[in-house]
Amino acid sequence: MSVPTAVVVASPRPRRAIRSETTRWLLAVPAAVVVLVAIVGPALAPYDPTRVIGPPGREPFGRYALGTDSAGLDVLSRVLVATRTNLLIALAVVLAATLVGLVLGAAIGMNESRRGPLGTLARAVNRFVDLFTAVPAVIVGLVAVAFFGGTVTVLVVVIAVVLAPIQVRLVRTEVLRVRGEAYLEAARMAGFSELRLTVRHVLPNSWGAVSENMPVIFGMAVVLTAALGFIGVGLPRPTPEWGSMISLGASDAATGRWWAAAFPALALIVTVAAASALGTALRARRA
Amino acid sequence: MSAPIRVEVDGLGKDFVGPDGRFTAVRDQTFAIDGGTRIGLIGESGSGKSTLARMIAGLATPTRGTVHVDGRDVHRLLATRAGRTEHWRAVQMVAQDTTSSFDPRRTLRDAVATPAVRLCGLTTVEANRRVDETLAFLSLPAALADRRPSDLSGGQRQRFALARALVVRPRLLVCDEVVSALDVSVQGTILNLLKNYSLEFGAAMLFVSHGLPATAFVSTSLMVMRAGAVVESGPVESVVTAPAHPYTRQLIAAYRGTPMAVAS
Ligand SMILES: Nc1ncnc2c1ncn2[C@@H]1O[C@H](COP(=O)(O)OP(=O)(O)OP(=O)(O)O)[C@@H](O)[C@H]1O
Ligand SMILES: [Mg+2]
C-alpha cells in the first residue's frame, strides 16, 4: 500500500460562492435605495435645481445641506434631480443595448455557421459588431452631439450604440452554447421553424447570463453618461447631471470648495457600486 | 396501423470541410428501407453511421444524393412548414442520452406533448392522453412527467426521449446508440419495447450501434458500415452465419460466446 505523498498543486482558490439568501438580499439593498432616491428624490429637493437660490460657494451642512456651487445653485437639489436623470438614461441604455443584443446576438449566433447568403450576412454583421467595440465612446459622443444636439434621446442612443456590442457578443456566445444542445434538435423534429426555436428555447436559455450582465452595462452607462457630461458633450447646462456638475465643481475644488464636485461624484460612485453589488447578487442566484 | 413507409436512399454522401481539407464521412450510399423492417446499422467508431442516420432522418443536409420518404424528397419537404409537419410526423430520431436532451426550463410532459400537438394536430387534452399512453407503453410512471429533466436518471431520461419520438407514432424511428449508455438489463428491455412498437405499428426502425449483439436481437436485417460505406447488408441470419466481407467476419468473431451466439 502506498501512502500518497502530499503533492498539492497550487490551484487558484475558487471565489467563495455566496450561499446565503440573506446575503443576496442585502447585496440588492443599495440598488433599491438608489432607485428610491431617483423616484422620490426630486420631490424632496428643497430648491429649484436650475435656479440661483443663494450666494455662490456656500459650505455644506449649514443653511444649504450640501452647500451651493460657484453659481449659487443648491447642490443637494441638483444631486437629487440628477440622480433621476442619470438613472433614467442608464436604464434606457441597458434596455436598448440588451434588446439590440438579443436580436443581433441571436441572429448572428443562429446563422453564422450557415452556408449561403444568410450565413455570409451573419458573419459580416458579426465583424461589424466587433469593429464597433473598438470605437471610443467619447468620439461617437462628440460627433453625435455635434450633429443632433445634447438631448436625453441622443445620449441614450449614443451610449447604447457604444455598449450594445457587449450584449451582442454575450448573447451570441450563449446562443452558440445553447445551439449545440440536443433539445434544439428535438424541437426541430417537433416542426418548429428556426425563428420559433430561437424564441422558444434559445433565448430563454440565454437569458440568465444576459440579465446578470445588465447591472454591469448599467454601471458602464452611468459612468459614460457622466464622462460625456464631464467633457461637455452631455446635456446642456444647467440641466442637473452628475458629470457636468463634477466638471463644474472641479475648478472650485482646487480652491478648497470641494462640495460642488464631491457630492455628485459620491452619488456616482455609490450608484456604480450599488449596480455592481446587484450584479453579484444576481450571479449568486445560479451558483 | 398506418401505411408502411418507404424510404429510398439514393447516392447519399456527406463531406465535412475541416482544417485539413475535405473529408468524406459517408460515401455515396444507395439502399431502401421498407415499413416493418428493423435494420441494425453497425460498424466501428467513426465509420459514418451517425452521419448517415442523421441524413436519413432529415437532421443533416447531404452533400450529395437524396433521401425520399414515400416518394418525396426529404430536404425539399423540410423547406416548408407543411412539409416539416408531414415529415416529422413520419420520421423521428432519438440519439444517445445527454443531460441536454431536454430543455431544462420545461417539464418533460411539455416536451413530450408538444410534438403530438404540433404534428398530429391533437388538442391539449388529447395530446396528454396520448402522452400517458406512450409513457405507459415505455413503463414510465406518469408522475415523472411533471418533473424537471435534471431530476431524472439517465435511463429515465432516455425513455422520455423515446416517448417524445414515439408520441407522434412515427413510421420510421431512427435510434442512434439509444441504449449504449444504459446497463445491459435495461438495454434489453428498451430494445424489446422498440421492437414491439415496430410490430404493433408496422414501423420501420434503424438502430445505429457499434455493438452487435443487442442490435441483432431486435433487428430483421443488418447493415455493416466501414469507412463511410455499407460493406455488407442482408437478413440478420445470413449476415451472422455467413458473413461475406472480411470486416464483418472480424466483427462477428469479436462477439463469439456473447448472447449473439444464442440469438443465431
Ligand atoms: N460535424 C462534423 N464536423 C466534422 N466532422 C464530423 C462531424 N460529424 C462527424 N464527423 C466526422 O465524420 C466521421 C463519421 O462520424 P460519425 O459520427 O458519423 O461516426 P459514427 O460511425 O457514428 O461513430 P461512433 O460510433 O463513434 O458514433 C468521423 O470521422 C467524424 O470525425
Ligand atoms: Mg455515432
Side-chain angles (χ1 to χ4, degrees):
Chain A
M1 213 184 110
S2 70
V3 177
T5 47
V7 182
V8 179
V9 179
S11 65
R13 185 192 298 244
R15 246 167 69 183
R16 251 182 50 215
I18 302 160
R19 296 200 187 287
S20 131
E21 185 101 357
T22 326
T23 317
R24 264 178 273 156
W25 280 107
L26 283 179
L27 278 169
V29 167
V33 171
V34 170
V35 169
L36 192 71
V37 169
I39 293 170
V40 302
L44 302 180
Y47 300 101
D48 183 334
T50 56
R51 302 244 317 255
V52 175
I53 47 82
R58 275 302 157 93
E59 294 208 358
F61 315 123
R63 183 170 145 72
Y64 307 99
L66 299 183
T68 61
D69 68 9
S70 58
L73 306 181
D74 181 48
V75 173
L76 173 63
S77 303
R78 288 178 62 73
V79 168
L80 287 174
V81 174
T83 302
R84 176 180 286 181
T85 312
N86 284 59
L87 250 61
L88 277 179
I89 292 174
L91 192 68
V93 166
V94 169
L95 295 180
T98 303
L99 188 68
V100 171
L102 288 173
V103 173
L104 279 188
I108 296 169
M110 291 301 287
N111 295 304
E112 66 173 43
S113 53
R114 230 182 245 260
R115 277 177 290 180
L118 215 54
T120 312
L121 182 66
R123 286 187 293 275
V125 173
N126 192 33
R127 282 288 170 79
F128 185 73
V129 168
D130 277 349
L131 251 167
F132 233 95
T133 323
V135 178
V138 169
I139 295 185
V140 179
L142 280 170
V143 172
V145 172
F147 265 98
F148 305 108
T151 67
V152 169
T153 315
V154 170
L155 270 186
V156 168
V157 171
V158 165
I159 300 172
V161 162
V162 169
L163 295 180
I166 301 177
Q167 292 295 69
V168 174
R169 292 167 111 179
L170 180 65
V171 173
R172 171 179 166 260
T173 309
E174 286 298 295
V175 167
L176 290 181
R177 174 183 65 79
V178 177
R179 212 185 60 172
E181 305 281 35
Y183 56 80
L184 273 204
E185 206 122 83
R188 224 163 257 145
M189 286 190 280
F192 286 109
S193 67
E194 293 299 297
L195 183 63
R196 288 285 305 277
L197 212 77
T198 308
V199 172
R200 194 181 153 91
H201 295 285
V202 179
L203 289 179
N205 282 291
S206 306
W207 177 246
V210 177
S211 62
E212 281 162 21
N213 201 44
M214 286 169 77
V216 177
I217 299 290
F218 183 90
M220 294 170 95
V222 166
V223 171
L224 275 180
T225 311
L228 290 176
F230 189 87
I231 60 165
V233 290
L235 304 177
R237 284 166 187 168
T239 313
E241 189 281 318
W242 293 335
S244 64
M245 289 172 72
I246 296 170
S247 104
L248 217 69
S251 49
D252 297 351
T255 62
R257 293 197 295 274
W258 49 271
W259 48 90
F263 289 115
L266 187 67
L268 176 86
I269 291 165
V270 168
T271 303
V272 172
S276 165
L278 181 66
T280 308
L282 287 181
R283 279 190 297 279
R285 218 176 22 167
R286 276 205 303 192
Chain B
M1 206 165 112
S2 41
I5 200 165
R6 169 135 181 111
V7 181
E8 284 153 321
V9 173
D10 191 7
L12 195 62
K14 180 138 186 123
D15 296 347
F16 288 109
V17 183
D20 29 53
R22 255 180 132 70
F23 166 77
T24 303
V26 176
R27 300 170 196 284
D28 315 12
Q29 300 300 301
T30 301
F31 56 88
I33 303 172
D34 283 306
T37 55
R38 293 182 300 281
I39 299 176
L41 178 59
I42 59 177
E44 65 193 354
S45 188
S47 55
K49 306 181 297 290
S50 297
T51 309
L52 179 57
R54 287 171 52 79
M55 286 193 290
I56 293 173
L59 286 173
T61 318
T63 312
R64 295 170 298 276
T66 55
V67 179
H68 284 82
V69 170
D70 296 336
R72 324 242 327 236
D73 185 321
V74 168
H75 294 91
R76 208 166 293 162
L77 208 55
L78 288 175
T80 67
R81 197 193 133 85
R84 278 200 298 274
T85 306
E86 186 186 327
H87 177 73
W88 297 122
R89 191 179 173 166
V91 179
Q92 287 281 314
M93 177 161 177
V94 183
Q96 187 163 351
D97 171 66
T98 65
T99 47
S100 78
S101 298
F102 288 89
D103 187 333
R105 303 171 64 88
R106 290 171 175 274
T107 65
L108 292 153
R109 178 171 289 278
D110 177 89
V112 179
T114 301
V117 172
R118 289 185 51 87
L119 301 177
C120 306
L122 300 183
T123 65
T124 318
V125 176
E126 290 166 343
N128 273 314
R129 201 177 309 136
R130 178 75 77 86
V131 170
D132 290 334
E133 280 168 30
T134 311
L135 296 184
F137 178 78
L138 292 166
S139 348
L140 276 167
L144 280 183
D146 301 310
R147 302 273 197 86
R148 297 272 155 189
S150 55
D151 296 344
L152 300 191
S153 72
Q156 288 169 329
R157 208 165 39 224
Q158 186 63 317
R159 285 183 200 215
F160 268 100
L162 287 167
R164 177 170 58 192
L166 292 182
V167 79
V168 303
R169 309 288 183 251
R171 293 180 297 133
L172 168 66
L173 181 67
V174 180
C175 298
D176 191 357
E177 312 271 10
V178 281
V179 294
S180 312
L182 309 176
D183 66 69
V184 178
S185 63
V186 182
Q187 286 190 5
T189 315
I190 289 187
L191 286 173
N192 272 315
L193 286 171
L194 290 175
K195 180 182 174 181
N196 291 343
Y197 173 80
S198 155
L199 292 174
E200 191 174 325
F201 290 88
M205 298 256 167
L206 182 63
F207 293 109
V208 176
S209 157
H210 45 239
L212 178 56
T215 321
F217 259 139
V218 290
S219 299
T220 54
S221 52
L222 287 178
M223 291 199 330
V224 183
M225 210 170 166
R226 192 181 195 194
V230 174
V231 294
E232 176 157 8
S233 66
V236 176
E237 280 282 329
S238 57
V239 173
V240 169
T241 53
H245 195 276
Y247 175 66
T248 316
R249 246 171 268 153
Q250 204 179 311
L251 245 175
I252 307 281
Y255 283 100
R256 200 140 297 183
T258 62
M260 187 55 237
V262 183
S264 59

